[in-house]
Amino acid sequence: MAERNVHRISAGVLILTLAAGVAALQATSASVLAVIVGAAAISVAQLVSVPAPSGARLHLGIAVAAAVPLLAPDAADTIAVLAFGMAGSLVVTWLLPSARSAGSARFLSDLLAVVAYASVYYVMVDLVTLDPEANPALFDWWQLFALGAGGVAWYAVRAFLQSLVGLEREDLSARYLWLLGLEDWSAVVSLFIAGALFGLAWPTMRMWAVPMAAMPYAFSHLAFVRYNGTRVTYGQMIRALGQIPEVAGLAAPGHATRTADLAVAMARELGLHPDDVVELEYAALMHDVGRITLNEPAILRAGYTDEDIARWGAQIIAESPYLTHVAELVRAQHQPYRRAGQERDLSVPMASKIIKVASAYDQAEHEMGLRPIDAIEQVHRGSAYDYDPEVAASLRRVLTHRGVLV
Amino acid sequence: MYDIDPRRQLRLRILFAAALGGIAALLVAVVAVYSRFPEEPWLWALFAAAFVYLEWNAVEVNDRLFASPTVMVLMTAAVIFGKETAILGLALMAVIGPLTPADVRERRWFQPIANSGQLVISAVTSASVLVLLLPERIEVATLWRVALATGIAAVVHSMVNLSLVSLVVTKVFGHREVRPWSKYGAVVVPMLGMGFLGGLLGAAYVLVGSATLPLIFVVFFVGRMTFASYGQLREAQESTLRGFIKALEAKDLYTRGHTERVAYFADLIGRAMGFNGTRLERLRWAALIHDVGKLAVPRDIIRKKARLTTEEWSQMQAHTHLVEDLLAEVDFLQPMVAIASNHHAHFDGNGYHGSQNLGHGEPPLEARILSVADSFDAMTSTRSYRVALTQEYAFSELRHHAGTQFDPDVVEAFIEIIEQRGERYGSPDVSSEAEARRRAEQGVTSPVPESVAGDGEGVVFDG
């Protein structure tokens, strides 16, 4: 239902876009061929998506769009190229069955971001009247500056539109999505630089501008691909290490993975910073790693507390200099969120409180065999000191969204 | 750990610093006579600053990927400076490049002087090649010559640089290099690419104008940043696994540091046998995880005094296999787990093959290396049932079982590299198995189990 609405809206916007393109074409001084080539380049580039460090994907259209105002004689040409290019990309996604469902929503948000970009660019360029003939170097510098400002606008609008999804979705906070949208600035800069280099160099260097603009991006692309690959295997490795106590029979099977899954969902719902969510995931996956110490018979005989498990786990994790903060989160997981006479103990990190709640809920459900409604009741009962009510409320929302609770 | 004679090493270091520094000073003097300083000093300062920054913050992504934008900076700068001033401009950039604030603060001079020296020699050589190849005028029609010239010059720069570095490393630190040419081969393509791009960026400045400068510098820095974050993540991954194993081993007096040492020995053998890049990395990772399965086995089984019952034995195997299967789910670790789980397999095809079975018959070279490294460390470190043995005893045992349990080539390579480096492991005087066990019984160490059957670490016990 919602999807059909999006398709309808985008069809309407498509007509408006085409109308704007045709109107701009009336005023254009460039050849129709140049407009067609530019528009076709944008349409094709919009189909190509590349990885960004956060794991999201960016579409290459913006790199072409960055070059357009540098190459077009005036604003009307830019509008014509961008309008036909974006319209073309929508039509192509409609024709491709695999891209159809997401295509319309993407078209709407990309179009808004591109409009923001072009508007800011031309407002900036028109702020100062420079004669390109008299002082070409200064004019170029100013154009680049305007391009940078336009790029910032594009970037902010894109992240803002992404965060709007959070208003619709119960399990994702808008803040989390907004911050997630801002993660990929290095990839965005690489794309804009490629477009700008091409736009500046094409008039003099012609075909040589292509490798010069493409190569730096290609190097970054290689780094992003490898970064993402390593990020995935790093996560897998931490997941495997976190499961060692389980295969050794010292912790309940699957507990670490389920706790991490729940904790990450709660963190997103509560709107933690995406970087903190990654650390929280690692901490949750390894929160019971201290249990591996229990294969020492002397320790089993002497007895241990939850605090010991947390401390031993933190000691193991802290051996890696890159995970000192994760170790802190694991160490703090046994702490109560408040003590008598306090509103909240602010020294306990949010992530630790989330892990504590997620782990307790999972234990109640899977180890005590309680129904979800009873398991969450356990958590609510412990809200005097152990489980932060704010976090417990988030757990309830996440479980409701998943259909576990009605 | 490196060389036996520190005085000789110091003399060599002074000699090399003096020689490289002297040659470089002479080159700069000659170049200063025949070449001019770039006409726009601010432009030189800008590129020099970028060069120095990138030299200080060099990114080391494992050695199959050279991510050094410094050569690109040199090539861009050379094209912008032009034929008349490129050589001096680059030589002076190279002089200041390797001087880091830490060196100045701690008054370390040999290394920066040697580094400056070799960088100046490389820069002057490559800039001369570049000046010879560059066209008279940079225009669209001659761009192919510019790009080709900077590509070749970048390769020349890194070749000269690598040769000088490996000369110093082999002479001063006594590292043996087998098949150094494979290292040179790996840099050719990336350097051609870097040089090509650097030349085009320089030409863009000349042809299009100064507005390209911010773009050029963003290219340098974003490139460095993206590779730095990738390199850092990789390092984080390795250090996490290392830290994890170290922390768990530390709980047990007898296994403390075992994995680190085995990884070190495996790395030495791998290098001596001409491994590099991915293959060396894979060997190191396999060494790191070769004993990880044992972390899940209850300690009382590991330290059992009597022979293990069948049930205990299968419990130990089951735990080890579970962990290996767990790690094999990490895509990247899959091949390493296969190597590591085969490290008890014998050279002649006998012995225990792991859960990630690679088939019977001769185990892969990596597993054979791991087997030698593991057994050597087992013999030269103290276990619950015996004290450490001497290095000579361990070597003779390795040789004795070469051809059946061990690969003879690996054994010889290992013994040679350890003797060449003058490193010593194990006890100074305990040179027989019986003596070692007797001492452990008398000694302060806890009561001794007779044998850790199936532990399989010491050849001598399960061979």
Side-chain angles (χ1 to χ4, degrees):
Chain A
M1 186 62 200
E3 198 178 300
R4 254 174 64 195
N5 279 339
V6 173
H7 283 313
R8 273 193 209 134
I9 295 170
S10 59
V13 175
L14 176 70
I15 294 168
L16 288 178
T17 313
L18 287 172
V22 172
L25 210 53
Q26 303 300 312
T28 179
S29 54
S31 72
V32 177
L33 182 69
V35 172
I36 292 175
V37 169
I42 290 183
S43 301
V44 172
Q46 270 303 86
L47 291 177
V48 183
S49 73
V50 290
S54 79
R57 296 190 77 85
L58 288 169
H59 293 272
L60 280 183
I62 190 58
V64 183
V68 171
L70 297 177
L71 293 167
D74 55 52
D77 309 301
T78 306
I79 293 172
V81 171
L82 293 180
F84 288 126
M86 295 306 290
S89 74
L90 178 65
V91 173
V92 177
T93 51
W94 277 350
L95 295 176
L96 292 174
S98 59
R100 196 178 295 149
S101 62
S104 296
R106 213 188 80 212
F107 163 73
L108 289 176
S109 69
D110 282 358
L111 185 71
L112 271 174
V114 163
V115 167
Y117 151 73
S119 321
V120 169
Y121 175 83
Y122 280 106
V123 168
M124 292 294 290
V125 165
D126 288 345
L127 271 185
V128 182
T129 38
L130 287 169
D131 183 7
E133 303 296 320
N135 198 338
L138 196 61
F139 183 73
D140 280 349
W141 274 92
W142 185 247
Q143 268 192 317
L144 270 188
F145 185 66
L147 196 69
V152 172
W154 180 86
Y155 181 57
V157 167
R158 179 178 157 272
F160 175 73
L161 291 173
Q162 268 183 26
S163 73
L164 288 183
V165 176
L167 300 181
E168 183 92 352
R169 292 270 296 264
E170 280 163 29
D171 61 329
L172 287 172
S173 91
R175 180 174 183 270
Y176 172 78
L177 291 171
W178 159 253
L179 292 169
L180 193 68
L182 295 182
E183 286 274 276
D184 294 324
W185 65 270
S186 56
V188 172
V189 168
S190 302
L191 286 174
F192 265 89
I193 290 296
L197 264 179
F198 181 81
L200 277 185
W202 169 260
T204 37
M205 292 170 77
R206 292 289 151 176
M207 283 320 282
W208 287 100
V210 178
M212 186 178 69
M215 278 176 73
Y217 180 73
F219 282 127
S220 300
H221 178 82
L222 191 69
F224 293 143
V225 169
R226 294 186 174 217
Y227 180 87
N228 278 318
T230 310
R231 213 171 46 113
V232 170
T233 61
Y234 191 20
Q236 288 174 336
M237 194 184 83
I238 288 194
R239 193 170 287 263
L241 295 179
Q243 281 173 287
I244 290 183
E246 295 173 11
V247 300
L250 301 166
H255 174 64
T257 305
R258 286 193 306 264
T259 301
D261 174 50
L262 209 50
V264 167
M266 285 153 73
R268 288 182 178 155
E269 201 271 339
L270 285 165
L272 262 66
H273 192 285
D275 294 346
D276 294 339
V277 176
V278 173
E279 286 195 328
L280 165 109
E281 185 178 8
Y282 292 174
L285 283 169
M286 298 199 287
H287 80 279
D288 262 353
V289 140
R291 287 188 157 266
I292 194 77
T293 312
L294 301 180
N295 72 358
E296 185 65 62
I299 286 176
L300 267 183
R301 275 196 302 278
Y304 60 92
T305 63
D306 284 353
E307 187 181 350
D308 291 330
I309 298 287
R311 197 183 61 246
W312 292 329
Q315 280 167 356
I316 293 170
I317 298 165
E319 279 292 332
S320 166
Y322 291 89
L323 294 181
T324 44
H325 192 235
V326 173
E328 284 313 308
L329 298 182
V330 170
R331 191 189 301 270
Q333 65 171 324
H334 73 92
Q335 287 193 15
Y337 78 96
R338 65 180 281 270
R339 291 169 201 279
Q342 270 180 329
E343 179 64 25
R344 270 201 169 76
D345 184 348
L346 294 177
S347 69
V348 182
M350 190 59 167
S352 302
K353 295 194 282 191
I354 294 176
I355 295 171
K356 190 181 176 77
V357 169
S359 169
Y361 172 83
D362 184 70
Q363 252 173 358
E365 192 189 350
H366 286 95
E367 283 164 51
M368 301 182 204
L370 299 181
R371 289 179 304 159
I373 187 75
D374 299 325
I376 202 160
E377 192 183 320
Q378 288 271 27
V379 173
H380 281 307
R381 273 198 212 142
S383 284
Y385 295 104
D386 280 333
Y387 310 118
D388 190 334
E390 198 189 316
V391 179
S394 167
L395 173 66
R396 182 177 279 277
R397 289 192 295 270
V398 166
L399 293 176
T400 309
H401 175 78
R402 290 185 172 183
V404 177
L405 292 179
V406 193
Chain B
M1 230 177 185
Y2 284 101
D3 205 342
I4 9 172
D5 187 357
R7 273 173 51 213
R8 180 166 168 269
Q9 192 181 343
L10 185 66
R11 273 210 311 278
L12 275 171
R13 288 181 66 175
I14 296 177
L15 184 75
F16 269 101
L20 289 171
I23 296 173
L26 199 68
L27 273 177
V28 172
V30 171
V31 165
V33 173
Y34 289 100
S35 171
R36 283 179 291 118
F37 189 72
E39 272 139 36
E40 286 157 302
W42 64 270
L43 207 53
W44 179 84
L46 211 56
F47 277 96
F51 180 73
V52 167
Y53 174 82
L54 292 171
E55 275 282 324
W56 287 356
N57 300 286
V59 185
E60 202 161 319
V61 186
N62 63 27
D63 52 1
R64 73 191 137 137
L65 226 148
F66 284 82
S68 159
T70 51
V71 179
M72 205 159 87
V73 177
L74 288 180
M75 293 304 129
T76 308
V79 172
I80 292 178
F81 296 159
K83 281 182 103 145
E84 287 78 30
T85 60
I87 304 182
L88 186 60
L90 257 52
L92 291 177
M93 277 164 75
V95 169
I96 57 169
L99 277 175
T100 66
D103 287 331
V104 176
R105 231 180 295 124
E106 289 165 33
R107 311 226 180 285
R108 280 179 305 199
W109 298 113
F110 299 140
Q111 201 177 343
I113 288 177
N115 285 350
S116 276
Q118 49 110 334
L119 206 56
V120 168
I121 297 170
S122 328
V124 170
T125 318
S126 62
S128 313
V129 171
L130 184 66
V131 167
L132 276 178
L133 296 175
L134 270 185
E136 281 308 314
R137 263 178 58 82
I138 293 176
E139 50 201 19
V140 180
T142 57
L143 273 178
W144 66 271
R145 274 185 63 186
V146 176
L148 196 65
T150 46
I152 293 172
V155 174
V156 169
H157 178 90
S158 51
M159 291 292 163
V160 175
N161 203 353
L162 266 181
S163 317
L164 291 174
V165 169
S166 61
L167 182 75
V168 174
V169 168
T170 45
K171 293 294 174 219
V172 178
F173 296 103
H175 288 190
R176 201 169 63 133
E177 295 221 27
V178 182
R179 295 196 229 155
W181 287 106
S182 61
K183 196 168 64 187
Y184 293 82
V187 300
V188 171
V189 173
M191 281 303 148
L192 262 180
M194 290 271 183
F196 183 86
L197 177 59
L200 282 182
L201 289 174
Y205 175 86
V206 175
L207 292 173
V208 179
S210 65
T212 49
L213 270 187
L215 301 179
I216 291 173
F217 280 90
V218 173
V219 167
F220 293 157
F221 289 105
V222 170
R224 192 206 86 89
M225 207 202 71
T226 52
F227 275 95
S229 55
Y230 162 59
Q232 201 186 22
L233 193 65
R234 267 193 103 77
E235 210 181 301
Q237 189 179 18
E238 189 167 335
S239 98
T240 299
L241 185 63
R242 267 179 199 274
F244 204 89
I245 290 166
K246 194 174 148 206
L248 293 176
E249 278 185 354
K251 298 191 185 308
D252 198 317
L253 189 65
Y254 302 115
T255 56
R256 191 175 294 166
H258 170 68
T259 295
E260 281 290 324
R261 288 191 302 270
V262 171
Y264 172 70
F265 294 145
D267 190 70
L268 281 186
I269 305 173
R271 282 176 200 275
M273 297 191 82
F275 283 29
N276 57 22
T278 319
R279 204 165 178 208
L280 191 61
E281 194 181 64
R282 191 187 296 169
L283 176 64
R284 201 171 60 234
W285 276 88
L288 283 179
I289 59 176
H290 82 277
D291 250 1
V292 94
K294 230 170 266 172
L295 299 176
V297 181
R299 292 285 108 184
D300 47 354
I301 295 190
I302 297 244
R303 293 197 208 114
K304 183 119 187 283
K305 292 175 186 174
R307 266 194 107 73
L308 295 180
T309 62
T310 321
E311 193 189 336
E312 285 165 334
W313 167 248
S314 61
Q315 193 187 349
M316 173 150 147
Q317 291 303 320
H319 276 128
T320 312
H321 287 180
L322 280 172
V323 177
E324 283 171 358
D325 294 344
L326 196 64
L327 287 181
E329 277 170 29
V330 184
D331 306 335
F332 159 81
L333 285 181
Q334 169 73 62
M336 288 76 151
V337 176
I339 296 168
S341 86
N342 265 270
H343 78 280
H344 289 152
H346 289 188
F347 177 59
D348 59 10
N350 293 321
Y352 171 69
H353 292 254
S355 67
Q356 306 283 318
N357 207 332
L358 297 180
H360 287 264
E362 192 175 300
L365 181 56
E366 283 88 346
R368 286 179 266 149
I369 291 177
L370 210 49
S371 160
V372 170
D374 187 35
S375 304
F376 177 77
D377 187 65
M379 287 187 277
T380 52
S381 55
T382 295
R383 294 288 145 133
S384 52
Y385 46 88
R386 59 145 176 75
V387 299
L389 293 151
T390 60
Q391 180 158 312
E392 286 67 30
Y393 176 83
F395 281 168
S396 74
E397 275 302 308
L398 288 178
R399 284 199 166 119
H400 181 69
H401 294 277
T404 52
Q405 183 168 359
F406 303 120
D407 179 341
D409 294 341
V410 176
V411 170
E412 286 315 312
F414 177 61
I415 293 175
E416 194 189 334
I417 193 89
I418 291 289
E419 282 179 345
Q420 191 197 2
R421 297 171 78 93
E423 293 174 13
R424 297 222 36 104
Y425 298 91
S427 134
D429 58 348
V430 182
S431 56
S432 88
E433 189 59 36
E435 168 76 2
R437 283 170 189 261
R438 199 177 53 75
R439 286 223 193 168
E441 269 172 46
Q442 295 171 341
V444 254
T445 41
S446 54
V448 195
E450 275 173 15
S451 157
V452 183
D455 179 306
E457 267 175 353
V459 248
V460 253
F461 316 113
D462 76 343

